[in-house]
Amino acid sequence: MNKLMILIMVLFGVQIASSQNLTVNQLLELSASNLAEVQEKLTSDKWYFFQAKDASERRFGNVKFVYDTPDIKNPGNGGKYLITYFYSDFKSAKTLEISFRIEESYKLYCKQIENLKFKLVSSTTEKGNIVKVYKKNGFIIEVTLPPNFENGKSYKFLFAEKSDYKKYIE
């Protein structure tokens, strides 16, 4: 009986991990990619282009993708996973952020960050959230942990090369 329960738990964990089909390694690779590469990879993995804002000399552009299509008729029922890719036509800057409300995915990403040997370099609060910054080689991962999940608050993982970190403008 115990073996059956362990098997069920493992299968449940695999389902959660594969529900949006991107690992921390893949998100790091996408953060260093250009817009066309990001679009091709995400749409081939069943992500949907959602919206875009053009880049200008003063503001970085961004392109948003959702994993499961949101219910347009019900604005409160959005997609479970949202990726925002920040880019510039005028400066070298590429950053990618994934946000979601699923605690199991948060734990899975944190475990992957630990397994990849990223080092926690800072931890603070920002706009009522806990913000942790991890660093390894030339990459930065910023993790935002909300106090609760009411009113649409989400976990956020920002992936950037060190030279691009904090260059984007929302």
Side-chain angles (χ1 to χ4, degrees):
M1 183 67 174
N2 286 339
K3 289 181 183 180
L4 178 61
M5 286 302 291
I6 291 171
L7 178 63
I8 289 171
M9 289 173 42
V10 167
L11 291 174
F12 180 70
V14 168
Q15 173 62 30
I16 290 168
S18 65
S19 62
Q20 57 76 29
N21 68 9
L22 294 172
T23 65
V24 167
N25 265 335
Q26 290 171 314
L27 291 164
L28 286 166
E29 289 171 10
L30 284 172
S31 72
S33 300
N34 66 41
L35 179 56
E37 293 167 334
V38 170
Q39 182 270 327
E40 288 170 9
K41 168 65 176 153
L42 291 177
T43 56
S44 72
D45 286 343
K46 303 202 184 324
W47 286 77
Y48 298 90
F49 170 64
F50 184 63
Q51 68 181 178
K53 289 185 182 177
D54 296 339
S56 69
E57 289 185 41
R58 304 179 101 193
R59 188 186 74 206
F60 288 19
N62 68 62
V63 180
K64 295 182 180 189
F65 298 87
V66 292
Y67 182 67
D68 49 349
T69 55
D71 182 355
I72 303 299
K73 293 179 183 176
N74 183 2
N77 189 15
K80 290 181 183 161
Y81 295 89
L82 176 72
I83 285 182
T84 305
Y85 174 78
F86 298 92
Y87 71 96
S88 174
D89 295 330
F90 306 94
K91 299 176 185 169
S92 172
K94 295 177 272 193
T95 302
L96 185 134
E97 178 182 79
I98 186 168
S99 59
F100 50 85
R101 297 182 185 154
I102 301 167
E103 185 176 7
E104 292 83 3
S105 294
Y106 166 77
K107 290 177 181 177
L108 182 65
Y109 278 163
C110 288
K111 187 68 175 166
Q112 289 178 32
I113 290 169
E114 179 185 320
N115 291 341
L116 290 169
K117 308 273 191 250
F118 272 80
K119 181 181 178 189
L120 179 66
V121 293
S122 72
S123 181
T124 187
T125 59
E126 186 176 300
K127 297 179 184 176
N129 299 307
I130 295 173
V131 178
K132 301 177 191 178
V133 178
Y134 296 86
K135 186 176 171 182
K136 179 181 173 188
N137 301 329
F139 282 103
I140 301 284
I141 300 175
E142 180 184 276
V143 178
T144 302
L145 176 64
N148 60 50
F149 302 107
E150 295 174 16
N151 301 322
K153 294 184 179 183
S154 300
Y155 294 107
K156 293 182 182 178
F157 287 74
L158 181 107
F159 300 87
E161 291 182 357
K162 183 179 176 186
S163 61
D164 296 335
Y165 181 59
K166 291 292 186 179
K167 284 186 181 178
Y168 65 94
I169 299 172
E170 295 186 54

